[in-house]
């Protein structure tokens, strides 16, 4: 695009954004801490999902000092359900560094931001432009799609080898007099008008600048390379009951779902049934001998790069003392306490059923005792 056409494009886009943008809660502020929190949440998660989590999070942690001094487990509990828990762990870790090193003020230096845990190119660009008005273009999925159509870019949007081209294209279009507003306008255009399916080209404020529209080739963009099939794993999980209590274990802090609590279990091997895998996994993870009493349910859950099918068993404690091999902590809790701990989404799919099942068996136990002692 020539320079005068870029200026025209910027003007059309910004005028449209001024009138049509959604009044999202994080758009009412340029507080770097709040901008940072919102951008971390918006990575890999849709706006409508983020809104209630953002509101809950900033109510609980209105400033960075409070976030930094709060226990990670409380942060994970507030984040519970939003997924990608590494984001919460990094937010917490980075808040500690910012308080210690920068007196609780986010640095207005792109390179310093990039050095903080969990802050990559996208978040550093978003915070630098929106909170500090610095000329860094953001390139997320929405922006890539818009750029691919605007400039008829033939490269696949889902290959990292294309990133330099998309970044260069975004840099050339960036309105340097108001980069924060411009970046948000590009993302909003992708979310509301230049959508993945059936973009609303007739009402698009930048259709006259759009290469794909002018050549009647909107359907050809963006290009994608075919994703490989998502692998699926079969998991066995055991709810070990001892009296009125159940056993929960805490995952190590690093890696997938790090720091969350769960019921012990793991992958079923080729030569095993779900039941034998459940007994073996519990023995390996916590050194307890248990027996399975009942198949509670089977649930399915999808993570970004794989799916699981999980068979859940009610188990009874048989023998042994807990020695941890993998988990970093354990607790015997009553089901009424489950809400006090952050659990992964897959566990939440069977927790209501578990509570109901244990309540019924506790009720029938009481009835038996009443009959016996009448
Ligand atoms: Fe997207 Fe259509 Fe606008 Fe081009 S004209 S940017 S394809 S919505």
């Amino acid at each position: 695009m020539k320079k005068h056409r870029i200026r025209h494009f910027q003007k059309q886009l910004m005028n449209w954004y001024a009138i049509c943008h959604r009044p999202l809660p994080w758009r009412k502020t340029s507080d770097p801490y709040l901008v940072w929190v919102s951008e971390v949440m918006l990575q890999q998660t849709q706006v409508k999902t983020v809104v209630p989590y953002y509101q809950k999070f900033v109510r609980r942690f209105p400033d960075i000092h409070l976030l930094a001094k709060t226990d990670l487990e409380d942060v994970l509990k507030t984040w519970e359900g939003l997924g990608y828990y590494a984001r919460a762990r990094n937010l917490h870790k980075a808040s500690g560094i910012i308080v210690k090193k920068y007196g609780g003020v986010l640095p207005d230096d792109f390179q310093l931001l990039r050095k903080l845990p969990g802050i990559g190119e996208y978040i550093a660009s978003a915070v630098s432009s929106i909170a500090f008005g610095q000329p860094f273009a953001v390139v997320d999925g929405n922006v890539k799609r818009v750029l691919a159509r605007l400039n008829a870019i033939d490269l696949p949007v889902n290959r990292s080898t294309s990133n330099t081209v998309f970044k260069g294209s975004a840099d050339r279009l960036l309105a340097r007099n108001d980069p924060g507003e411009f970046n948000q306008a590009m993302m909003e255009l992708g979310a509301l008008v230049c959508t993945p399916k059936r973009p609303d080209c007739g009402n698009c404020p930048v259709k006259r600048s759009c290469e794909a529209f002018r050549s009647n080739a909107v359907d050809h963009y963006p290009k994608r390379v075919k994703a490989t099939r998502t692998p699926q794993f079969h998991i066995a999980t055991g709810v070990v009951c001892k009296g009125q209590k159940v056993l929960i274990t805490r995952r190590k802090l690093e890696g997938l779902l790090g720091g969350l609590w769960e019921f012990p279990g793991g992958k079923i091997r080729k030569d095993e049934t779900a039941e034998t895998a459940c007994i073996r996994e519990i023995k390996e993870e916590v050194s307890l001998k248990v027996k399975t009493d009942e198949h509670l349910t089977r649930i399915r859950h999808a993570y970004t790069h794989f799916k699981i099918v999980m068979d859940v068993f009610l188990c009874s404690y048989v023998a042994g003392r807990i020695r941890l091999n993998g988990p970093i902590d354990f607790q015997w809790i009553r089901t009424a306490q489950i809400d006090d701990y952050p659990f992964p989404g897959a566990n939440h799919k069977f927790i209501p059923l578990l509570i109901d099942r244990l309540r019924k068996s506790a009720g029938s136990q009481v009835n038996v005792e009443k009959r016996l002692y009448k």
Side-chain angles (χ1 to χ4, degrees):
M1 242 189 260
K2 296 235 171 75
K3 265 190 180 165
H4 72 279
R5 295 196 65 151
I6 290 179
R7 276 199 296 277
H8 177 74
F9 164 79
Q10 292 166 342
K11 203 169 162 213
Q12 297 299 110
L13 178 68
M14 305 279 267
N15 287 345
W16 168 81
Y17 181 72
I19 299 165
C20 298
H21 71 266
R22 292 166 292 178
L24 302 170
W26 48 87
R27 288 188 175 149
K28 293 177 189 146
T29 178
S30 57
D31 178 334
Y33 166 66
L34 299 178
V35 171
W36 173 44
V37 170
S38 68
E39 291 300 337
V40 171
M41 288 187 164
L42 286 164
Q43 264 200 323
Q44 295 149 316
T45 311
Q46 290 189 341
V47 165
K48 67 172 190 306
T49 308
V50 167
V51 170
Y53 280 95
Y54 171 82
Q55 290 167 325
K56 180 178 165 195
F57 196 89
V58 299
R59 259 199 314 273
R60 174 74 181 83
F61 307 111
D63 65 71
I64 197 165
H65 295 273
L66 183 57
L67 176 61
K69 71 180 181 202
T70 302
D71 195 72
L72 173 65
E73 197 169 310
D74 281 359
V75 178
L76 291 172
K77 185 69 198 164
T78 311
W79 198 273
E80 192 181 27
L82 194 57
Y84 302 102
Y85 292 88
R87 296 181 297 178
R89 292 196 305 273
N90 284 329
L91 200 58
H92 182 250
K93 198 169 173 189
S95 69
I97 297 170
I98 294 166
V99 166
K100 210 168 159 195
K101 230 173 154 180
Y102 305 112
V105 180
L106 252 86
D108 59 357
D109 179 305
F110 185 86
Q111 295 307 336
L112 291 182
L113 282 173
R114 284 287 271 112
K115 284 187 183 151
L116 292 165
I119 299 196
E121 179 90 15
Y122 168 80
I123 291 183
S125 300
V127 172
S128 298
S129 62
I130 298 168
F132 303 125
Q134 296 171 352
F136 291 94
V138 299
V139 183
D140 69 350
N142 279 333
V143 173
K144 271 190 184 172
R145 184 172 60 254
V146 173
L147 291 170
R149 288 168 176 166
L150 270 177
N151 296 322
I153 299 173
D154 258 327
L155 299 171
V157 285
N158 57 343
R159 274 283 174 270
S160 57
T161 46
S162 317
N163 286 354
T164 324
V165 172
F166 283 104
K167 183 76 175 72
S169 174
D171 280 338
R172 277 191 295 283
L173 293 180
L174 182 69
R176 277 149 212 280
N177 57 338
D178 198 348
E181 202 80 344
F182 177 87
N183 281 332
Q184 293 188 83
M186 283 289 277
M187 291 189 274
E188 196 75 335
L189 186 75
L192 300 182
V193 181
C194 195
T195 46
K197 284 181 189 150
R198 284 185 277 150
D200 189 6
C201 299
N203 292 311
C204 176
V206 295
K207 62 181 177 229
R208 296 169 97 210
S209 310
C210 179
E211 202 60 45
F213 180 68
R214 284 193 309 198
S215 55
N216 201 19
V218 172
D219 289 349
H220 292 81
Y221 301 96
K223 303 268 188 227
R224 291 188 155 273
V225 285
K226 229 177 165 192
T228 46
R229 228 172 129 238
T230 317
Q232 179 170 283
F233 302 110
H234 196 171
I235 308 283
T237 291
V239 179
V240 184
C241 304
K242 192 179 173 193
Q244 300 295 309
K245 296 191 170 177
V246 293
L247 176 68
I248 58 171
T249 53
R250 193 175 186 205
R251 295 174 70 93
K252 56 181 189 249
L253 296 180
E254 311 77 39
L256 181 77
L257 311 172
L260 298 192
W261 291 83
E262 64 182 5
F263 296 94
K267 278 184 204 165
I268 302 170
R269 293 176 184 160
K270 268 192 190 136
D271 55 349
E272 286 180 317
T273 64
E275 273 181 277
T276 51
C278 178
I279 292 166
R280 174 187 55 75
E281 282 286 340
I282 291 168
K283 180 81 183 152
E284 283 174 10
E285 281 188 12
V286 293
S287 289
L288 289 189
K289 191 173 173 194
V290 300
K291 67 178 178 65
T292 55
D293 296 327
E294 182 183 325
H295 181 247
L296 182 70
T297 186
R298 169 177 280 192
I299 59 118
R300 291 169 195 278
H301 194 73
Y303 294 98
T304 337
H305 301 299
F306 63 94
K307 296 176 190 168
I308 59 165
V309 175
M310 185 190 275
D311 278 305
V312 186
F313 296 92
L314 286 183
C315 306
S316 304
Y317 166 83
V318 175
R321 281 187 61 187
I322 290 188
R323 275 198 323 274
L324 297 177
N325 178 24
I328 57 169
D329 200 358
F330 74 94
Q331 294 281 346
W332 289 100
I333 60 166
R334 291 178 187 277
T335 51
Q337 293 171 281
I338 281 181
D339 262 356
D340 298 341
Y341 296 84
F343 281 88
N347 281 211
H348 275 291
K349 285 189 173 168
F350 66 80
I351 282 174
L353 180 67
L354 170 70
I355 292 174
D356 192 49
R357 176 67 189 78
L358 292 181
R359 194 180 292 135
K360 277 181 188 150
S361 72
S364 60
Q365 183 66 32
V366 170
N367 288 339
V368 169
E369 282 168 10
K370 272 184 189 163
R371 281 201 300 277
L372 281 172
Y373 296 110
K374 209 156 53 170

